[in-house]
Amino acid sequence: MHFLNGLQPQFDLTYDDVFMVPNESDVTSRLDVDLSTEDGTGTTIPLVVANMTAIAGRRMAETTARRGALTIIPQDIPVEVVSEVIGWTKRRHLVFDTAITLDQHTTVGEAQVLLGKRAHGAAVVTEGDRPVGLVTEKDLTGVDRFVQVHDVMSRDLVTVTDDVDVVGAFDTLNESRRRLAPVVSADGTLVGVLTRQGALRANLYSPAVDADGALRIGAAVGINGDVAAKASQLLEAGADVLVIDTAHGHQRKMLEALKAVRDLDPQVPVVAGNVVSATGTRDLIEAGADIVKVGVGPGAMCTTRMMTAVGRPQFSAVLECASAARELGKHVWADGGVRHPRDVALALAAGASNVMIGSWFAGTLESPGDLFTDEKGRQFKESFGMASSRAVRNRTATDSAYERARKAMFEEGISSARMFVDPARPSVEDVIDEIISGLRSSCTYAGARTLAEFHERATVGIQSTAGFAEGRPLHQSW
Ligand SMILES: NC(=O)C1=CN([C@@H]2O[C@H](COP(=O)(O)OP(=O)(O)OC[C@H]3O[C@@H](n4cnc5c(N)ncnc54)[C@H](OP(=O)(O)O)[C@@H]3O)[C@@H](O)[C@H]2O)C=CC1
Ligand SMILES: Nc1nc2c(ncn2[C@@H]2O[C@H](COP(=O)(O)O)[C@@H](O)[C@H]2O)c(=O)[nH]1
Ligand SMILES: [K+]
């Protein structure tokens, strides 16, 4: 990456401060761009879901890995539960979505709650392992909540078999005017659900898979307690990436934690953070990190900069740390502050090998929280920061009351935020589509076929607030 006209910025920059100019290009199609990473984590699109309790759970993990991204399960979840989630994710189908299954005697009320758990908006009614009906929101609307689903389900099923090619499945759904179909194996057992959109996406994305062909998933550990014991349990459970995560990553306890994890000889990439300087990056790499996580204070749930004045505008932080990591043959992830597809492109231009996103994904149907509706009828989920007093209270549940109260005083995050579900993009897959189409286009503007070429070729300029405002679309006349 280089700055336009050789300019050397006089102050640190965040994503909004910068823009990219097009280069001469011989990449003639956005589909010719390969977005897979070189950092060993196996992502085929450069996105990682942040290890936050309100965001990264099993549904998020399977859905994002199926499209080539990676989810990191937070350190606050008990290790037995994380192991279970890893196993579950690895048993998911690479193409078909996991169905919600209902017994014929399930009530409409129960079915309504469960439907909110799937962006495809349907549940399959089964007898044994076989599908016998389908219910969608429409079938349940205006029906007494104590009615059983066998009275309202549609029995006229169009199914596809699990060996179907996705283009053929798209055509079958299109011809029969269906949005989705249950998928069955040769013996009629339910395998999953395929939507028209899912058939399309299966051709546009490649799942992130491990050596056994199962979906990938990562897990985080903190720097307190027996780090080696917890890390070895996570490795045993099959975690494909280990993230050692704390607010101030450039500290002695982090270096000790890294050493303890390295001594386990993990055969997976080890990520450590967070830092925002070249020295911090080098020290973590020397202590054994393969990837350094960069970002102090840009997160949407984060109050660190307001509380402490500490942090650094994210574009400059990523640029400096990525350059230090590259000199040592290692990588950085840009963590936090991503609010538009352009921010992902800029983080990669600055040299990140993957971009971590939290809050943007909180308001999607795949995040673990319950779906609420506000006074205006808008759907939302509740999110919170991992350094908020709410998270600290949960994390320290086994401490004495005094210790808990003391620790909760050092809060650096928001305890309750409403993250609205965009009616046009309710699923994390819709948001991923938006980000990836923007990113593919950024790469072709830069004349890059790969992320390495993108970083090499990107030309970045510095803009005023008016420059940023000019780029925003106007939805009404002025
Ligand atoms: N990227 C960011 O900007 C930030 C991210 N977070 C996220 O919040 C989560 C919780 O992290 P964390 O608060 O580190 O909790 P941890 O539970 O990991 O504890 C942090 C440990 O480091 C010690 N410590 C020393 N200096 C600091 C400092 N300046 N800030 C925080 N701890 C310090 C603490 O001791 P003692 O309590 O005795 O001081 C404690 O032992 C993580 O997921 C982290 O990524 C949190 C803040 C900023
Ligand atoms: N200072 C704090 N930072 C936090 C907290 N919870 C999470 N985080 C960081 O934010 C990113 C995600 O950023 P987003 O803009 O995409 O939401 C996450 O990975 C952490 O590094 C917090 O309570 N305080
Ligand atoms: K912030």
Side-chain angles (χ1 to χ4, degrees):
M1 190 220 97
H2 62 274
F3 282 107
L4 183 61
N5 301 326
L7 198 78
Q8 282 310 310
Q10 300 300 304
F11 49 85
D12 278 355
L13 305 165
T14 194
Y15 298 132
D16 287 4
D17 293 322
V18 289
F19 63 94
M20 281 175 48
V21 290
N23 292 341
E24 188 195 337
S25 169
D26 60 4
V27 188
T28 52
S29 167
R30 286 168 287 198
L31 295 173
D32 289 346
V33 180
D34 175 359
L35 294 175
S36 55
T37 190
E38 289 179 340
D39 69 9
T41 57
T43 57
T44 63
I45 55 170
L47 300 178
V48 180
V49 182
N51 45 303
M52 296 170 70
T53 310
I55 298 162
R58 66 181 70 200
R59 261 302 279 168
M60 188 62 85
E62 73 152 322
T63 313
T64 53
R66 201 173 276 126
R67 302 301 167 223
L70 183 72
T71 292
I72 309 297
I73 303 299
Q75 57 267 47
D76 292 359
I77 311 292
V79 68
E80 302 72 35
V81 178
V82 181
S83 303
E84 215 273 304
V85 168
I86 293 173
W88 184 88
T89 304
K90 292 199 171 289
R91 292 191 299 275
R92 298 304 95 195
H93 200 279
L94 300 189
V95 178
F96 309 123
D97 200 1
T98 303
I100 291 179
T101 54
L102 305 175
D103 178 68
Q104 302 205 41
H105 304 294
T106 312
T107 63
V108 163
E110 284 172 83
Q112 253 157 350
V113 173
L114 290 170
L115 279 196
K117 305 270 180 205
R118 290 293 181 277
H120 61 242
V124 183
V125 184
T126 53
E127 218 173 72
D129 292 336
R130 288 156 189 277
V132 292
L134 197 69
V135 288
T136 62
E137 196 59 53
K138 210 164 124 205
D139 301 316
L140 305 179
T141 309
V143 181
D144 188 281
R145 59 195 312 279
F146 294 104
V147 167
Q148 297 182 358
V149 292
H150 63 80
D151 283 336
V152 293
M153 71 187 191
S154 92
R155 291 167 195 274
D156 167 28
L157 287 185
V158 171
T159 57
V160 293
T161 49
D162 59 357
D163 57 358
V164 74
D165 88 290
V166 284
V167 179
F170 186 95
D171 291 340
T172 307
L173 288 167
N174 209 28
E175 278 153 26
S176 56
R177 294 169 178 269
R178 307 283 164 132
R179 203 166 45 78
L180 60 97
V183 182
V184 291
S185 61
D187 66 0
T189 307
L190 180 68
V191 175
V193 161
L194 184 66
T195 62
R196 261 195 256 184
Q197 200 69 3
L200 195 61
R201 286 176 178 136
N203 253 352
L204 290 174
Y205 296 94
S206 310
V209 292
D210 63 19
D212 299 326
L215 293 177
R216 283 180 184 254
I217 176 169
V221 285
I223 57 170
N224 284 330
D226 192 344
V227 178
K230 185 160 180 203
S232 90
Q233 280 172 293
L234 294 172
L235 292 170
E236 181 78 10
D240 296 293
V241 174
L242 268 190
V243 177
I244 314 176
D245 185 33
T246 191
H248 182 12
H250 198 187
Q251 59 161 307
R252 198 186 68 216
K253 263 168 119 177
M254 169 58 86
L255 302 180
E256 289 164 3
L258 262 169
K259 182 174 181 319
V261 171
R262 264 297 148 220
D263 286 349
L264 299 171
D265 191 23
Q267 299 300 306
V268 302
V270 175
V271 187
N274 279 19
V275 302
V276 286
S277 66
T279 2
T281 305
R282 284 188 210 108
D283 285 352
L284 296 199
I285 290 172
E286 272 157 27
D290 300 305
I291 297 166
V292 173
K293 199 149 70 73
V294 176
V296 174
M301 296 298 107
C302 167
T303 59
T304 298
R305 295 216 195 136
M306 292 301 124
M307 290 293 291
T308 66
V310 175
R312 188 175 185 187
Q314 183 70 345
F315 182 78
S316 295
V318 174
L319 186 60
E320 181 177 305
C321 297
S323 144
R326 270 163 199 271
E327 280 170 15
L328 299 169
K330 302 289 181 183
H331 307 272
V332 304
W333 285 358
D335 174 21
V338 169
R339 284 152 217 186
H340 308 282
R342 73 186 293 284
D343 304 341
V344 173
L346 288 165
L348 296 162
S353 62
N354 266 298
V355 182
M356 192 173 234
I357 299 181
S359 304
W360 197 1
F361 293 159
T364 64
L365 297 176
E366 288 80 6
S367 71
D370 290 329
L371 197 56
F372 297 103
T373 305
D374 78 354
E375 351 23 88
K376 290 185 182 150
R378 294 179 300 177
Q379 290 189 311
F380 70 93
K381 292 211 176 172
E382 225 177 59
S383 189
F384 58 94
M386 296 304 286
S388 63
S389 60
R390 174 174 180 177
V392 174
R393 270 199 308 275
N394 290 340
R395 184 148 69 231
T396 53
T398 54
D399 290 1
S400 72
Y402 176 84
E403 267 300 289
R404 291 181 78 191
R406 183 188 69 77
K407 287 182 179 164
M409 280 189 78
F410 287 92
E411 97 178 305
E412 280 180 33
I414 295 177
S415 281
S416 175
R418 281 187 180 190
M419 307 311 289
F420 288 98
V421 177
D422 179 352
R425 292 190 183 84
S427 164
V428 70
E429 296 195 82
D430 302 321
V431 183
I432 288 176
D433 287 347
E434 187 191 16
I435 294 173
I436 296 305
S437 61
L439 179 59
R440 285 184 173 283
S441 208
S442 306
C443 289
T444 58
Y445 277 118
R449 279 192 177 76
T450 63
L451 292 179
E453 281 181 20
F454 184 56
H455 169 61
E456 203 179 289
R457 295 178 62 103
T459 310
V460 171
I462 300 171
Q463 65 189 351
S464 62
T465 341
F468 182 74
E470 183 188 55
R472 283 187 171 278
L474 298 167
H475 293 284
Q476 57 187 51
S477 59
W478 48 97

